[in-house]
């Protein structure tokens, strides 16, 4: 199976804005990517109408990405904060509808980096609260023909949902046309005993896939078994894009949030180029003409 390869604009810049979007879309297309991940860090940073024109010009498929920055929480937070987070997610759905993105992907549980100890009773209560907070957003997603894709994060970035097993437990009754899982090879490598088994456990609920090297660098420069990863995606019938997600260390805020303390490649362009070269060659090898 041959999948479209995408790239997140966070590889080069944060936040995405109307000012940097033209250059970033042109760069993604020049490097050969067929899709682009567009993060909505704050509503109003960039115009969906302007983005739609650029994506059409460069023949890039859109993937809308949400960001759970400070104050964005769906559990263990004041009601006003939960409502604001729900409204933010509905805004992201509107952007996705305008652009034609099939998913809105991100760690839509609590602010990234927020973690605390929970016993089994509290965890169960927080999962109930998460489902209640998500339910109206999931209904809106389904009505619009878009799938919200929730991403488990590693233990250093959240204590709520780290594994596919936890995601299925937390979200089970809501999973369906309006809600699925987004799996990221970086987090899978940290938290799962077997990446392939985790992908297969996600099964039909797998809505989106992000990739990078195990060190957040280039795909293929690392120790991950990428052929086995693609085997697992084939087994569950995943036909969506593979989105390269890495981060620039040039922006202080994103460098701290993503713990990018050193260069991950000679340049961000090289990181992106190495990744698409490797994934393209691997897919060519697996799918000879």
């Amino acid at each position: 199976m041959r999948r479209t390869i995408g790239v997140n604009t966070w590889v080069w810049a944060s936040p995405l804005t109307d000012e940097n979007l033209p250059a970033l879309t042109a760069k993604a297309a020049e490097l050969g990517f067929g899709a682009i991940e567009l993060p909505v860090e704050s509503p109003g940073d960039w115009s969906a109408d302007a983005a739609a024109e650029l994506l059409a010009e460069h023949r890039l498929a859109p993937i809308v990405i949400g960001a759970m920055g400070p104050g964005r929480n769906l559990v263990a937070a004041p009601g006003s904060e939960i409502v604001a987070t729900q409204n933010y997610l509905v805004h992201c759905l509107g952007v996705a509808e305008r652009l034609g993105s099939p998913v809105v992907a991100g760690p839509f549980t609590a602010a990234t980096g927020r973690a605390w100890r929970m016993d089994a009773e509290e965890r169960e209560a927080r999962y109930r609260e998460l489902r209640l907070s998500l339910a109206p957003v999931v209904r809106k997603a389904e009505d619009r023909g878009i799938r919200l894709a929730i991403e488990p994060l590693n233990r250093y970035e959240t204590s709520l949902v780290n594994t596919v097993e936890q995601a299925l437990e937390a979200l089970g009754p809501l999973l369906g046309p309006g809600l699925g899982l987004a799996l990221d090879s970086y987090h899978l490598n940290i938290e799962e005993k077997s990446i392939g088994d985790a992908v297969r456990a996600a099964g039909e609920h797998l809505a989106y896939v992000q990739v990078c090297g195990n060190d957040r660098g280039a795909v293929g420069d690392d120790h991950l078994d990428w052929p086995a990863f693609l085997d697992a995606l084939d087994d569950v019938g995943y036909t969506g894009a593979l989105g390269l997600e890495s981060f620039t260390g040039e922006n202080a805020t994103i460098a701290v949030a993503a713990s990018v303390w050193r260069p991950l490649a000679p340049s961000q362009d090289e990181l992106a180029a190495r990744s698409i070269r490797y994934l393209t060659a691997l897919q060519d090898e697996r799918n000879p003409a």
Side-chain angles (χ1 to χ4, degrees), residues 177-267:
L179 182 67
L181 304 185
L183 298 187
D184 182 323
S185 64
Y186 177 78
H187 302 297
L188 292 170
N189 178 63
I190 295 173
E191 294 297 339
E192 301 288 356
K193 295 184 182 299
S194 164
I195 291 177
D197 287 350
V199 170
R200 294 181 182 94
E204 65 181 348
H205 303 304
L206 181 55
Y208 191 59
V209 172
Q210 291 181 312
V211 296
C212 66
N214 66 278
D215 62 346
R216 273 291 185 204
V219 176
D221 286 354
D222 61 321
H223 70 227
L224 293 183
D225 187 341
W226 290 102
F229 186 81
L230 296 190
D231 285 343
L233 297 180
D234 287 347
D235 287 347
V236 301
Y238 176 74
T239 60
L242 303 176
L244 172 65
E245 185 190 53
S246 187
F247 304 93
T248 175
E250 295 301 313
N251 178 290
T253 300
I254 200 167
V256 172
S259 299
V260 178
W261 310 125
R262 57 183 172 79
L264 300 174
S267 71

Side-chain angles (χ1 to χ4, degrees), residues 5 19 22 25 30 45 51 57 123 137-138 143 145 154-155 186 284:
I5 303 169
E19 287 70 34
T25 51
E30 181 182 354
D45 280 346
E57 176 185 348
R123 182 173 294 278
V137 183
V138 172
D143 289 344
N154 70 72
R155 67 192 70 187
Y186 177 78
D284 288 346

